[in-house]
Amino acid sequence: MATPAPRAPDARVLIVGGGGTGAALAHDLALRGVRVTLVERGELTSGTTGRHHGLLHSGARYAVSDPESAVECIEENTILRRIAAGSFEENDGLFVALTEEDMEYLPAFLEGCEASRIPAQLLSPEQALRLEPNLNPSLKAAVRVPDATMDAMRMPLRFFATARANGAEILNHMEVTGLLIHGGIVSGAAVLDQVTGRDAEIQADVTVNATGPWSEQVARMAGVDVPIRPSPGVMLALRGRLCNMVLNRLHRSGDGDIIVPQRALSIVGTSSWVVEDPEELDVPQDHVRRMWEEGEKLIPAVRGARFRAAWSAARPLIGSRGADTGRELSRTFKAIDHAEADRVEGFVTITGGKATTLRGMAELCADVVCRKLGVDERCRTRETVLLPHTAHYAA
Ligand SMILES: Cc1cc2nc3c(=O)[nH]c(=O)nc-3n(C[C@H](O)[C@H](O)[C@H](O)COP(=O)(O)OP(=O)(O)OC[C@H]3O[C@@H](n4cnc5c(N)ncnc54)[C@H](O)[C@@H]3O)c2cc1C
């Protein structure tokens, strides 16, 4: 593990949000020698991060319709395997064509993978069935890509553990209830300790809004707007591993067209719709039914599998107002310096992206923060191997 750079004199950054994005940002800034405090209103990773599908994306899912995100995913997929080895099941993924229409999508898919430098190997039905015997036997073709299974919680815990070892202060059950703002400058936040019920203030030179689908609400505390739409999706966990590789349907992204093997479960997902408030997370029964129906097309044994759980989580998607299902929105990410965007100094928002791209999001945001602080330290998270997730509990 690399040691942090010498500390920048007294510069202090407050990160709001203890999901994967906040974790990776705390790690990046701590390595650059910046004093960091991170506050999370619940348990660490209790937002979207701890509830996602667990797919380390190769980017292939976005290769045709969202090439920017495809490139981000393959780059970060490669880096994460290096700095967080052991956090992934390196099982690869198959994109499976079941219909003539899927086959018509195949050339664009292969071209998109090539353009984004995602390794893709075309397989015959026989080759695919040898790898995954439970696949629908009437498949027409499959493409193998470097998708993988990740542990949604343990992987970010490695970022928290390493950040803390490098001096970051990580405070959970600490909710930001307001921002300290005078004369267009944010100088920290008012917080409520959820355990003791005490109110306090935390001063900071820069406050970063890393609250994922809550970004819009926290930005509003500074009187600014961020174009985030919370876009929930439903996942269905079935008992038993019905596949060992990550399966995607080879077509334009749709509902229930991914199956991720997670330990002794198979997770079918997801759906997508758009809400105003990320707390509005119901689990619509018609979405759960669709997971069964679509999952069964990829693996017929889904029909007889035993139900374990169904839940939902909300994506923080950068989108225009009035988005429909959220499928049409890019999975790319953005760091917004509100001094430039809204003339509010000392406040930055990092949002969008995927769990797969958390490190890249942190690098982009830390560059913005360091520029504001006058800290001239380069990012070192590409090569710094993370502590194991168990180091989080040892702290
Ligand atoms: C259904 C679904 C499936 C997905 N599957 C995958 C996948 O397989 N692979 C992948 O790469 N990505 C996946 N994603 C995307 C990924 O989960 C998210 O992009 C990522 O987890 C977002 O992380 P985050 O840290 O930005 O947000 P979050 O994890 O939501 O973290 C934000 C945190 O801010 C906290 N917070 C909010 N308000 C306050 C406040 N006032 N004070 C203090 N703290 C506050 C919240 O409690 C929360 O913990 C999926 C998303 C969804 C919805």
Side-chain angles (χ1 to χ4, degrees):
M1 198 183 82
T3 46
R7 286 184 179 284
D10 288 339
R12 183 172 188 175
V13 175
L14 174 65
I15 301 170
V16 188
T21 307
L25 180 60
H27 167 57
D28 189 319
L29 288 170
L31 269 182
R32 298 194 209 206
V34 176
R35 279 203 302 163
V36 177
T37 298
L38 179 147
V39 291
E40 160 57 48
R41 66 178 185 170
E43 293 290 350
L44 300 177
T45 77
S46 60
T48 303
T49 295
R51 287 184 265 168
H52 70 68
H53 208 159
L55 201 176
L56 179 72
H57 284 277
S58 62
R61 188 166 173 82
Y62 308 113
V64 176
S65 58
D66 189 358
E68 192 178 5
S69 180
V71 169
E72 289 161 1
C73 284
I74 188 62
E75 282 180 8
E76 295 303 322
N77 174 309
T78 310
I79 295 171
L80 284 177
R81 286 173 196 251
R82 199 168 59 230
I83 64 170
S87 291
F88 311 104
E89 212 184 296
E90 306 214 3
N91 42 356
D92 283 354
L94 292 181
F95 278 72
V96 182
L98 297 178
T99 63
E100 285 305 330
E101 220 181 339
D102 294 355
M103 288 303 281
E104 282 166 23
Y105 188 72
L106 178 62
F109 180 79
L110 291 172
E111 271 167 37
C113 287
E114 194 180 349
S116 301
R117 297 173 185 256
I118 300 164
Q121 182 194 6
L122 183 60
L123 303 179
S124 66
E126 296 71 31
Q127 287 171 315
L129 283 164
R130 265 200 297 281
L131 289 168
E132 282 298 344
N134 284 340
L135 274 178
N136 185 334
S138 62
L139 83 156
K140 299 193 176 306
V143 180
R144 185 174 187 160
V145 297
D147 283 344
T149 296
M150 73 167 125
D151 187 308
M153 190 181 168
R154 288 181 176 172
M155 211 266 292
L157 287 186
R158 297 183 68 165
F159 282 91
F160 281 118
T162 315
R164 197 184 269 135
N166 284 328
E169 182 182 33
I170 312 284
L171 306 172
N172 55 351
H173 300 294
M174 193 68 79
E175 178 167 6
V176 167
T177 52
L179 294 174
L180 309 177
I181 177 161
H182 301 287
I185 301 172
V186 173
S187 59
V191 293
L192 169 66
D193 184 325
Q194 297 281 3
V195 177
T196 62
R198 281 202 202 103
D199 291 310
E201 289 185 355
I202 299 177
Q203 305 287 330
D205 298 285
V206 175
T207 300
V208 180
N209 174 11
T211 53
W214 289 270
S215 301
E216 197 183 16
Q217 293 177 358
V218 171
R220 228 176 274 138
M221 294 177 185
V224 301
D225 187 39
V226 290
I228 299 308
R229 294 284 83 167
S231 168
V234 162
M235 282 150 291
L236 166 68
L238 301 172
R239 289 184 196 273
R241 278 174 78 97
L242 302 173
C243 52
N244 284 312
M245 302 173 82
V246 176
L247 303 183
N248 271 260
R249 179 87 179 264
L250 183 71
H251 65 185
R252 198 165 282 277
S253 300
D255 288 354
D257 59 356
I258 309 177
I259 305 180
V260 181
Q262 282 276 4
R263 301 188 193 170
L265 299 172
S266 303
I267 320 287
V268 187
T270 68
S271 56
S272 184
W273 72 103
V274 176
V275 295
E276 289 293 318
D277 181 351
E279 308 289 340
E280 282 174 28
L281 280 188
D282 52 350
V283 183
Q285 282 313 299
D286 56 321
H287 288 225
V288 178
R289 255 195 317 277
R290 228 164 31 244
M291 297 305 114
W292 284 102
E293 288 163 8
E294 293 301 320
E296 183 187 345
K297 292 180 186 166
L298 275 170
I299 295 189
V302 161
R303 176 193 275 262
R306 279 193 301 143
F307 174 85
R308 171 69 179 79
W311 72 98
S312 56
R315 304 169 183 89
L317 296 185
I318 301 170
S320 54
R321 298 283 183 260
D324 182 12
T325 64
R327 289 250 180 254
E328 69 279 27
L329 299 178
S330 169
R331 268 54 180 168
T332 192
F333 47 84
K334 202 169 178 181
I336 305 166
D337 179 351
H338 293 286
E340 288 167 12
D342 308 289
R343 294 171 184 246
V344 172
E345 195 41 91
F347 189 50
V348 174
T349 294
I350 173 71
T351 195
K354 306 283 301 172
T356 301
T357 58
L358 82 177
R359 192 217 61 85
M361 295 172 72
E363 178 175 351
L364 176 74
C365 186
D367 283 348
V368 171
V369 169
C370 285
R371 210 163 41 241
K372 292 178 79 64
L373 294 173
V375 171
D376 187 18
E377 291 291 340
R378 69 171 185 90
C379 174
R380 290 191 288 157
T381 59
R382 283 168 190 260
E383 66 270 9
T384 302
V385 173
L386 297 167
L387 291 173
H389 76 274
T390 47
H392 168 72
Y393 300 104

